[in-house]
Amino acid sequence: MLNQRLAAAQSIADAFRPAEEAIDHAAMLATRCLATMMEARALSGVPLATGLDELARMHALSTRLIEARRDVISLHPDLAAVRDAVGLRAWFGDSDECSPVDNPKGERLHAIG
C-alpha cells in the first residue's frame, strides 16, 4: 500500500512541474505577442485604433494565463497537505520552494543594479 501511494505521489510530482512550466511559457508567449502586436502597429504607421479590439483580447488572454499561474502556485500547499494526509511527508519532506501567493507587495524582492 505504501509503495502504491509513493508511486502515485511521484507520478503527480512528475506531471505537475511540466504543467507549471507550460503555463509559464504560454504566459510569456502571449505577453510577447501582445508587445509584438503593439510594436507592429506603431511601425506600420496605421491609425492607433487599428487592431485595438484584438489587442484587448490578447491582453485579456495574457491576464488569464497569469491568473492560471497564480492558481498553479496556490496548489503547492494544497498538494503538500494531501501528501501529509496520506502519510508521505517523511518520504517527500517539506520541499515547498514557492513564495506565498498572497504577497502582493513583493516584500521578498530586492532591486539589483
Side-chain angles (χ1 to χ4, degrees):
M1 184 64 132
L2 175 60
N3 286 338
Q4 291 169 323
R5 284 183 285 153
L6 284 168
Q10 190 61 56
S11 68
I12 292 168
D14 292 345
F16 189 80
R17 178 65 69 184
E20 190 172 39
E21 290 172 358
I23 290 170
D24 269 358
H25 188 68
M28 286 185 282
L29 292 175
T31 304
R32 188 174 297 135
C33 182
L34 175 62
T36 300
M37 290 167 69
M38 294 183 78
E39 290 167 354
R41 197 250 4 116
L43 291 173
S44 65
V46 297
L48 287 173
T50 303
L52 190 57
D53 289 340
E54 293 74 18
L55 284 170
R57 288 171 55 198
M58 184 57 73
H59 176 265
L61 172 64
S62 297
T63 299
R64 288 193 308 272
L65 287 166
I66 297 298
E67 290 167 357
R69 184 177 193 272
R70 179 181 296 276
D71 289 343
V72 167
I73 292 168
S74 72
L75 275 170
H76 282 255
D78 297 339
L79 290 172
V82 171
R83 171 204 64 204
D84 295 350
V86 298
L88 295 179
R89 184 181 184 116
W91 284 270
F92 280 87
D94 188 15
S95 61
D96 182 20
E97 59 190 50
C98 294
S99 301
V101 177
D102 60 349
N103 185 7
K105 295 180 183 176
E107 293 163 353
R108 293 185 181 176
L109 300 176
H110 301 283
I112 57 172

